[in-house]
Amino acid sequence: MLNKTKQIYLFFLTGLLLSACGHKKVDVSDIDVNVKIGRFDKDFDAMKTGRMAQQAAYLQNKYGAFYHDFIATLLQDNQINTTTDTAYFALIRKVFVTKDYNDLKHDIDSVYPNMDKPEADLTDAFRHVKYYYPDKKLPAVYAYFSGFETPIITDNGIFGIGLDLFLGANSRFYPALTNAWPRYMSRNFNEQNICPRVIEGMAREDMFPENDSSKTLMSKMIYNGKIMYFMDQVMPDKADTLKIGYTAAQLKWCQQFESKIWAWFIDQNLLYESDYPKIQKYLGVAPFTPGLGEKNESAPKLAVWTGWQIVKKYMDKHPEVTLQQLMADNDDQKILNEANYHPK
């Protein structure tokens, strides 16, 4: 059943938990932001018990383009009229009676009877964003079924949270999806990762997209380091493990071998390497970094982690530099030089 589950869902649509120390704490309690996550998943499900046309019109009015895009993906038809098309209603009725749909709905409802904790986390993070960027228009946030496609989507000021990819590491669905979501990824599919992934998506895809000219590993290090530092500032109470997606053991490994990691990048002449197939293993999600450590114990994303340390060192040396100035500064070489990063 589980292998078929993936197919069905694609029809209707990604202790040492150490908190970062030394981040500047700011008072955001008076900032008027209160996040409410729209439960698209529940509103969509309501179509099966009510008048479909009436509920479809309600969804269209409440969710706008998000609803249309969801249904267009479901039917693979951008021209579908999502409020009047009877063929669309007939297909939705078939989806609602499948065991696959109802099993998933059961588990999502069990894990997320409400969104109180993610809403509180996002409220605090969004207040921090507004503290540093008062003119920033904050996105609407909706929860939905992603079809096990992606944990977070961003589009036109909307963030969608695929609750099917935040059901907890031991969800019964994930063992059948290891080709798409291996264990080293699905271990992070839990509630406490919702806020960090939304904030990371906001930073990378909305506020600070990577410059196309960033080709070298060094430039990608600094870019990623700035993203991680931004996350430090807007989520000051979140653990570093959550921000970067490490286990406690992986974070400890990076801290223990920080000087050796840096020496590896220097000795292998990787800082100014621009051959992406050669450098991507230091940037992407993986179980470990090939070639470093014993018994596959090394952490992944070592360029991201190292860039983070460089940017923190730079900001420690330049307390006069604001977060806004840092994020707008595209002189990667200057940041590297002035960080004077020489871990011991």
Side-chain angles (χ1 to χ4, degrees):
M1 185 274 291
L2 283 175
N3 285 331
K4 189 175 71 172
T5 296
K6 168 67 174 172
Q7 205 170 17
I8 295 289
Y9 291 156
L10 285 175
F11 269 81
F12 70 89
L13 287 44
T14 94
L16 188 64
L17 290 179
L18 296 178
S19 293
C21 299
H23 301 143
K24 178 185 176 184
K25 299 295 287 287
V26 297
D27 183 4
V28 298
S29 59
D30 291 335
I31 295 178
D32 186 19
V33 171
N34 289 285
V35 175
K36 294 299 294 182
I37 298 173
R39 289 302 297 263
F40 179 88
D41 59 312
K42 290 184 177 294
D43 289 339
F44 178 75
D45 184 71
M47 290 181 73
K48 72 182 181 185
T49 56
R51 296 174 58 187
M52 277 201 166
Q54 185 177 13
Q55 185 65 11
Y58 170 78
L59 290 168
Q60 181 70 52
N61 182 63
K62 183 174 180 178
Y63 296 102
F66 184 86
Y67 171 58
H68 179 270
D69 292 346
F70 176 85
I71 299 305
T73 301
L74 168 68
L75 301 184
Q76 298 184 350
D77 184 355
N78 283 315
Q79 305 305 313
I80 193 75
N81 188 317
T82 56
T83 58
T84 62
D85 194 296
T86 55
Y88 154 59
F89 293 149
L91 176 59
I92 296 303
R93 288 190 181 96
K94 291 180 180 179
V95 170
F96 283 151
V97 299
T98 64
K99 184 177 187 299
D100 303 297
Y101 174 84
N102 285 284
D103 282 349
L104 178 60
K105 180 185 180 301
H106 172 273
D107 285 19
I108 287 179
D109 287 348
S110 296
V111 176
Y112 295 102
N114 59 64
M115 299 295 289
D116 291 354
K117 182 60 165 64
E119 285 174 346
D121 286 349
L122 285 171
T123 292
D124 184 72
F126 282 9
R127 285 177 178 177
H128 279 83
V129 172
K130 289 292 277 187
Y131 176 89
Y132 292 107
Y133 293 87
D135 296 330
K136 171 63 183 171
K137 183 178 180 181
L138 296 174
V141 184
Y142 303 144
Y144 79 119
F145 300 167
S146 80
F148 297 110
E149 284 296 290
T150 181
I152 302 292
I153 60 168
T154 66
D155 184 45
N156 294 322
I158 295 171
F159 274 69
I161 301 169
L163 292 182
D164 41 356
L165 292 176
F166 291 101
L167 289 174
N170 296 320
S171 169
R172 58 173 162 163
F173 299 109
Y174 301 153
L177 304 174
T178 52
N179 286 339
W181 304 109
R183 175 64 182 173
Y184 65 84
M185 300 179 76
S186 65
R187 62 176 171 77
N188 290 323
F189 289 173
N190 51 50
E191 183 184 66
Q192 63 187 143
N193 268 282
I194 289 178
C195 180
R197 300 293 69 83
V198 170
I199 293 301
E200 184 174 15
M202 178 186 291
R204 293 184 182 279
E205 299 184 37
D206 178 23
M207 298 179 71
F208 317 109
E210 187 172 13
N211 194 310
D212 289 340
S213 64
S214 297
K215 303 293 187 183
T216 67
L217 184 62
M218 185 275 290
S219 66
K220 292 182 179 297
M221 273 185 179
I222 301 303
Y223 170 75
N224 281 281
K226 288 160 62 177
I227 295 296
M228 298 305 300
Y229 188 83
F230 173 83
M231 293 175 71
D232 284 339
Q233 307 313 304
V234 301
M235 299 187 299
D237 297 321
K238 291 295 181 188
D240 285 354
T241 48
L242 289 175
K243 294 170 198 165
I244 197 169
Y246 279 176
T247 65
Q250 288 171 337
L251 180 61
K252 184 177 180 179
W253 186 90
C254 285
Q255 293 167 336
Q256 182 178 354
F257 295 105
E258 182 175 2
S259 62
K260 289 182 171 60
I261 295 168
W262 183 240
W264 173 266
F265 288 129
I266 300 299
D267 293 344
Q268 298 295 312
N269 296 315
L270 288 169
L271 285 190
Y272 299 98
E273 179 61 64
S274 59
D275 181 6
Y276 190 74
K278 190 172 181 178
I279 63 177
Q280 63 84 23
K281 69 179 181 179
Y282 304 108
L283 296 160
V285 179
F288 58 90
T289 300
L292 280 84
E294 299 177 357
K295 300 179 181 179
N296 298 337
E297 65 181 357
S298 61
K301 300 198 292 186
L302 292 181
V304 177
W305 187 81
T306 300
W308 192 7
Q309 311 318 303
I310 292 170
V311 171
K312 286 195 286 188
K313 181 72 71 174
Y314 171 80
M315 292 300 282
D316 286 345
K317 290 179 177 293
H318 294 278
E320 77 284 358
V321 175
T322 66
L323 178 62
Q324 298 93 322
Q325 290 170 334
L326 170 70
M327 301 309 294
D329 190 344
N330 293 318
D331 193 340
D332 302 326
Q333 188 65 56
K334 181 198 75 176
I335 292 174
L336 175 63
N337 292 344
E338 295 187 9
N340 196 28
Y341 181 67
H342 297 292
K344 297 179 180 179

